[in-house]
Amino acid sequence: MRADACFAERDGELFAEDVPLRVIAERFGTPCYVYSRRALVEAIDAYTQALAGRDALVCYALKANPSLAIVRLLAQRGAGFDIVSGGELARVIAAGGDPARVVFSGVGKTAAEMQQALDAGILCFNVESDSELRRLEGVAAGTGRRAPVSFRVNPDVDARTHPYISTGMVENKFGVPLAEARALFRHAHSSAHLEVLGVGVHIGSQITSVAPFVESLDKVIEFIDALAGEGIALRQLDLGGGLGIRYRDEQPPSPADYVRAMIARVGRRPWKLLFEPGRSLVGNAGILLTRLEYIKRTPQKSFAIVDAAMNDLMRPALYEAWHDIRAVAPRAQSPETYDVVGPVCESADFLGHQRSLSVQEGDLLAVFSAGAYGMSMSSNYNSRPRAPEVLVDGAACVLIRERESLADLYRGERLAG
Ligand SMILES: *Cc1c(COP(=O)(O)O)cnc(C)c1O
């Protein structure tokens, strides 16, 4: 079943699994993030089933949605985690995830974060530069432990996605160019404080065809084979994340088809395979529920002013991302075209342009495909409390994060005088 079938219409109104979104709005207010447990389970299981029988680990990229309840659910179904900060490591541990299944990515790891991750006993550091390698070596030397490392290489492949989420080309800040990687491997291999496990790539996000993944994998396989020729045998290959989802009319490969294509390329090579999906696990497992506050008609256009804004869901403002927006209970009236906007004082504050909706003031709207990079990118801009999050499981719904209070907005602040 398609994950977004978990948010479907019944008897003229939208449900999350077996719960009317109207009921969720009544109970928890709006704006509110709503996730489907079934969609999350189906998404992680699609990966793990496609990898059955192989030495492999699916490391959920926490930055897509770091909710403790989601992390716990995925951990219970066997996931490991891809983290990019000490804060994300703390979340994995708080949710009961296993640090031994954590890989630590990112170009700017601090010494304190390295120490924290070594103490926790993570699976490996995905090292992105020579300077980082030297720093990690120093931190590891101080603890008397060997730091497990994998290098993130930059294969110089065009992921054919939005430039802000493209990460595997030479002009991007990510990864070590293949030509320089060999020297780093040699150094790490000879260090008493480092243990070389493998190599990884992550070429971008919202990638909707297998071709860039294959192109990148082929370059990395060639690289690993060349290293083996020098006596440096790698055990682990991290294929990164980046598989796209359908927001509108994209036709990305399914996780199973994508995984199968990668496995076909790797063949019988005995490497442990790591995947780091974020968006494709949670993106279509969540919606943002919002209420239409005002309809404002100007000579040029009509605005549907809702109670969610760019601080709640930043993707439209940041990437001009398109999210489907539907009335929770469409009216029996002919639709009108609206720009769906929030109350924030920025012209970039929109959720959708030129959307056809049959609605009246006070109606509920659902913004689809909001499970990834929605809540995790939210802010308090305009001093707006962040939305609550609700996890639906069949006919049950659980509040997994409270709405922030007004006092939360200035918690930790001091009057100077
Ligand atoms: C963001 C990120 C991911 C997840 O990307 P998705 O497109 O959400 O699958 C995986 N690995 C790394 C290193 C990342 O930075």
Side-chain angles (χ1 to χ4, degrees):
M1 186 197 316
R2 281 187 45 165
D4 56 1
C6 296
F7 298 98
E9 192 172 316
R10 283 187 210 168
D11 307 325
E13 65 175 324
L14 282 170
F15 278 62
E17 299 196 16
D18 300 325
V19 184
L21 290 177
R22 166 181 47 83
V23 170
I24 294 176
E26 281 161 11
R27 261 183 79 184
F28 303 104
T30 53
C32 176
Y33 275 98
V34 184
Y35 307 117
S36 158
R37 185 180 188 280
R38 178 152 46 99
L40 292 164
V41 165
E42 285 176 6
I44 182 71
D45 289 0
Y47 273 93
T48 49
Q49 282 161 15
L51 286 163
R54 211 103 198 169
D55 183 12
L57 185 60
V58 180
C59 293
Y60 168 57
L62 231 70
K63 72 179 193 287
N65 189 325
S67 156
L68 294 186
I70 290 176
V71 170
R72 162 155 301 187
L73 173 61
L74 296 177
Q76 284 167 344
R77 301 196 83 83
F81 299 96
D82 172 48
I83 60 164
V84 291
S85 70
E88 288 190 344
L89 177 55
R91 281 184 171 276
V92 169
I93 293 168
D98 182 0
R101 291 168 160 252
V102 166
V103 299
F104 194 167
S105 301
V107 294
K109 302 173 193 82
T110 66
E113 287 175 323
M114 290 171 172
Q115 181 77 50
Q116 178 194 357
L118 277 173
D119 290 345
I122 66 165
L123 173 60
C124 78
F125 292 85
N126 289 345
V127 171
E128 303 218 18
S129 68
D130 184 43
S131 299
E132 183 192 337
L133 186 68
R134 308 280 160 169
R135 180 182 284 180
L136 180 60
E137 192 174 16
V139 173
T143 64
R145 277 195 215 97
R146 287 185 118 192
V149 296
S150 170
F151 288 95
R152 174 169 174 187
V153 292
N154 184 325
D156 193 22
V157 165
D158 184 355
R160 282 152 255 170
T161 183
H162 190 285
Y164 288 7
I165 50 176
S166 181
T167 57
M169 291 192 279
V170 276
E171 58 264 42
N172 300 129
K173 70 179 175 183
F174 299 101
V176 182
L178 278 174
E180 291 162 34
R182 238 193 240 216
L184 298 196
F185 273 101
R186 278 189 212 118
H187 175 76
H189 191 63
S190 65
S191 166
H193 308 297
L194 302 170
E195 185 191 6
V196 180
L197 295 186
V199 66
V201 280
H202 172 71
I203 57 172
S205 198
Q206 185 54 15
I207 298 167
T208 52
S209 80
V210 168
F213 291 113
V214 169
E215 200 184 319
S216 146
L217 175 56
D218 285 350
K219 287 190 174 185
V220 175
I221 289 176
E222 198 185 305
F223 176 80
I224 303 179
D225 289 345
L227 265 187
E230 282 192 39
I232 303 178
L234 302 185
R235 287 180 261 159
Q236 181 177 299
L237 171 56
D238 185 334
L239 292 152
L243 182 63
I245 61 170
R246 178 185 293 200
Y247 286 96
R248 188 175 197 171
D249 49 13
E250 303 91 333
Q251 306 262 7
S254 69
D257 287 346
Y258 156 69
V259 165
R260 277 194 285 267
M262 296 296 100
I263 289 179
R265 249 25 217 194
V266 171
R268 308 172 79 85
R269 295 177 181 86
W271 307 322
K272 177 182 184 123
L273 296 182
L274 269 55
F275 291 83
E276 301 174 348
R279 189 188 311 273
S280 55
L281 290 182
V282 295
N284 273 327
I287 59 125
L288 174 60
L289 186 58
T290 182
R291 197 175 286 281
L292 174 52
E293 294 282 341
Y294 300 103
I295 289 175
K296 179 170 175 175
R297 295 190 175 86
T298 70
Q300 278 75 37
K301 22 168 109 157
S302 296
F303 294 97
I305 302 171
V306 298
D307 64 3
M310 65 186 284
N311 74 293
D312 300 299
L313 180 63
M314 196 188 186
R315 299 188 68 258
L318 185 62
Y319 313 123
E320 295 185 341
W322 192 95
H323 286 261
D324 193 13
I325 301 175
R326 292 189 225 162
V328 166
R331 302 271 174 176
Q333 63 190 42
S334 46
E336 257 188 84
T337 301
Y338 299 96
D339 276 6
V340 180
V341 301
V344 163
C345 302
E346 299 276 349
S347 291
D349 180 29
F350 71 95
L351 298 176
H353 287 141
Q354 299 296 294
R355 301 308 174 85
S356 175
L357 296 164
S358 299
V359 285
Q360 294 175 13
E361 289 182 352
D363 286 359
L364 292 168
L365 298 177
V367 183
F368 279 72
S369 312
Y373 306 104
M375 189 64 183
S376 64
M377 283 187 162
S378 67
S379 78
N380 291 124
Y381 187 42
N382 277 214
S383 288
R384 292 168 47 82
R386 265 174 296 192
E389 296 176 289
V390 171
L391 182 63
V392 175
D393 178 11
C397 45
V398 184
L399 183 66
I400 58 170
R401 180 181 173 128
E402 292 174 16
R403 183 183 305 285
E404 283 179 336
S405 68
L406 297 182
D408 288 335
L409 291 174
Y410 39 84
R411 189 157 45 93
E413 290 185 39
R414 302 277 186 278
L415 296 170

